[in-house]
Amino acid sequence: MNKCAVLSMDCLDDFEAYDHLIEAPLAELGWQVDTVSWRNNAVNWADYHAVIIRTPWDYQEDAPAFLKVLETIENSTAHLENSLAIVRWNIDKQYLQALQQCNVQIVPTLWQDRLGNKQLTVDAINQLFAQLGQEQIVLKPRISANADNTFWLTQHNVKQSLSDINQAFASRDFMVQPFIKSVIEEGEFSLFYFNGQYSHAILKTPKADDFRVQEEHGGSLTSVTPEASLLQHADITMQAILQLQQTPLYARVDFVRHNNGFALMEAELIEPSLYFNMDAESPKRFAEAFVARMQQLTL
C-alpha cells in the first residue's frame, strides 16, 4: 500500500479538523494515511510517497521554519501537495494584488509594512479610515491564520486597541480593509476546488457581536448551493490562480457580498479547512483528485 503523510501541528485539541474523513476513501484507493506534525524533526519524509499539507495551523508563528520544512519535503522523494511554489506565492496575502490584476474583484486593501521601531498613532489610524472612506476598518497580518492578530476598529475603539496593534505589527507586515458589514449580516462564503474542479460550498456565519467566522471563535456552518454570480466569481478566481500558478490539489476561495456583487476575501492554498464534514461526497472527491494526480506523476 502507498503511504501518505498528512501534515498537521503538534496538537489540534483547540481546533475543529475533519481530515480523518479522507482516510477511508484513500484507503479504498490504496493509500495509508499517517498524521505527522510539521515540527517533528525526526520524520524521514522519504518513508512517504506523498505529503499533503492540511492542518499546520500554527505555521504563522514561524513561517520561515515552516517553509524550510516544506523545502526539505520537496527535496526528498516524497511528493508535496500543495507544492512549495504555491505555498510561497500564497503565504503573503499580497497575492491578492496579482489576482486583482487578473480581473478578480477583491476587497479594497491598503498594504502596510511592519512598523519596526515606529508607532502608529491615533491620527495615523484615522488617516486609514479616511483613505478607505470607511467608519469601520480591519487590520490583519499579511501572513496569518485563525484570525490571529486581527483588529476590528471603529473610531471609538482605536485608542484602547493602539498598544496591541503596535505590538502585533512591530515585526509583521499588515493590511487594512474596510469592515464588510455583510460578514455579520449574512456571513462569508467558502467554495472548494479539488484539482481545479468545483466540489462544494458552505456559508460561515459569526456568532453575535463578532466578525470571526471560524468555528473556534463560535462561528457556525451551513452547506449551500452557490448562486450563479458567486460561482462565476469563484470560477474566475480559480482561472486566475491557474494562470499564475500550477494547478493546486486543493483550493478554498472565500467571498463576501460587497457593492451589489461579491468580493474575494482570500484564496486559501496552504492549509485551509476543507470542511469534509459538510458534504458527504467531498472526501471521496478529494481522494480521487489526489490519486489521479499521483497517477499522472508515474506516466
Side-chain angles (χ1 to χ4, degrees):
M1 180 173 281
N2 297 307
K3 290 187 65 177
C4 171
V6 169
L7 206 62
S8 186
M9 56 193 291
D10 287 342
C11 180
L12 285 167
D13 288 350
D14 295 329
F15 297 90
E16 299 291 341
Y18 305 104
D19 292 325
H20 63 282
L21 296 174
I22 64 174
E23 293 178 7
L26 281 172
E28 290 178 6
L29 296 173
W31 286 81
Q32 173 190 326
V33 177
D34 293 339
T35 300
V36 180
S37 171
W38 73 271
R39 295 182 184 273
N40 185 346
N41 295 323
V43 177
N44 180 3
W45 300 111
D47 290 340
Y48 298 97
H49 296 87
V51 178
I52 306 174
I53 306 169
R54 288 307 316 121
T55 52
W57 290 334
D58 58 347
Y59 82 88
Q60 72 279 6
E61 297 172 7
D62 194 347
F66 178 66
L67 290 171
K68 188 67 176 178
V69 170
L70 300 188
E71 184 177 339
T72 300
I73 295 170
E74 199 153 90
N75 287 335
S76 74
T77 55
H79 176 72
L80 180 66
E81 293 282 7
N82 285 331
S83 71
L84 178 59
I86 288 176
V87 172
R88 282 178 171 155
W89 179 76
N90 192 236
I91 200 168
D92 187 317
K93 290 181 175 57
Q94 277 197 312
Y95 70 81
L96 289 166
Q97 291 179 305
L99 292 177
Q100 187 178 34
Q101 292 169 2
C102 294
N103 298 316
V104 173
Q105 181 69 40
I106 71 168
V107 173
T109 304
L110 302 176
W111 303 97
Q112 306 288 312
D113 295 329
R114 65 195 64 188
L115 299 174
N117 294 324
K118 297 182 295 182
Q119 295 277 297
L120 283 176
T121 63
V122 171
D123 286 343
I125 293 181
N126 284 337
Q127 289 178 19
L128 298 175
F129 283 99
Q131 283 180 264
L132 288 171
Q134 299 289 322
E135 296 181 353
Q136 300 183 66
I137 59 175
V138 173
L139 279 63
K140 58 186 177 182
R142 283 177 14 201
I143 298 177
S144 67
N146 312 317
D148 293 348
N149 295 299
T150 297
F151 299 88
W152 174 12
L153 299 181
T154 69
Q155 292 179 323
H156 301 293
N157 69 358
V158 169
K159 190 172 182 179
Q160 68 190 59
S161 304
L162 197 57
S163 177
D164 289 338
I165 290 170
N166 280 312
Q167 181 177 353
F169 301 128
S171 58
R172 296 181 181 92
D173 299 328
F174 63 106
M175 55 200 289
V176 186
Q177 296 177 323
F179 176 74
I180 307 298
K181 290 183 180 179
S182 66
V183 172
I184 57 175
E185 295 169 346
E186 180 179 29
E188 178 180 291
F189 294 91
S190 290
L191 291 83
F192 306 89
Y193 289 76
F194 301 151
N195 210 11
Q197 300 298 310
Y198 171 76
S199 172
H200 60 295
I202 65 170
L203 176 65
K204 300 176 291 184
T205 308
K207 69 179 182 182
D209 300 319
D210 205 333
F211 68 103
R212 298 169 298 180
V213 297
Q214 294 87 350
E215 291 171 281
E216 291 78 11
H217 298 300
S220 58
L221 311 175
T222 306
S223 294
V224 296
T225 299
E227 59 192 83
S229 176
L230 175 56
L231 187 57
Q232 182 181 28
H233 276 80
D235 285 344
I236 289 171
T237 300
M238 281 305 303
Q239 290 167 15
I241 290 170
L242 299 185
Q243 289 178 30
L244 296 165
Q245 291 292 320
Q246 56 195 265
T247 304
L249 168 62
Y250 53 85
R252 191 185 89 198
V253 288
D254 296 335
F255 287 87
V256 291
R257 206 178 293 272
H258 182 57
N259 289 344
N260 299 315
F262 290 97
L264 179 72
M265 290 285 283
E266 294 188 41
E268 298 269 15
L269 309 179
I270 301 176
E271 37 59 74
S273 177
L274 299 174
Y275 294 105
F276 295 118
N277 61 314
M278 300 301 294
D279 185 292
E281 294 300 311
S282 62
K284 181 180 178 181
R285 287 194 291 267
F286 179 89
E288 290 173 346
F290 167 73
V291 171
R293 289 169 71 91
M294 294 302 296
Q295 289 173 343
Q296 288 177 343
L297 292 176
T298 61
L299 294 178

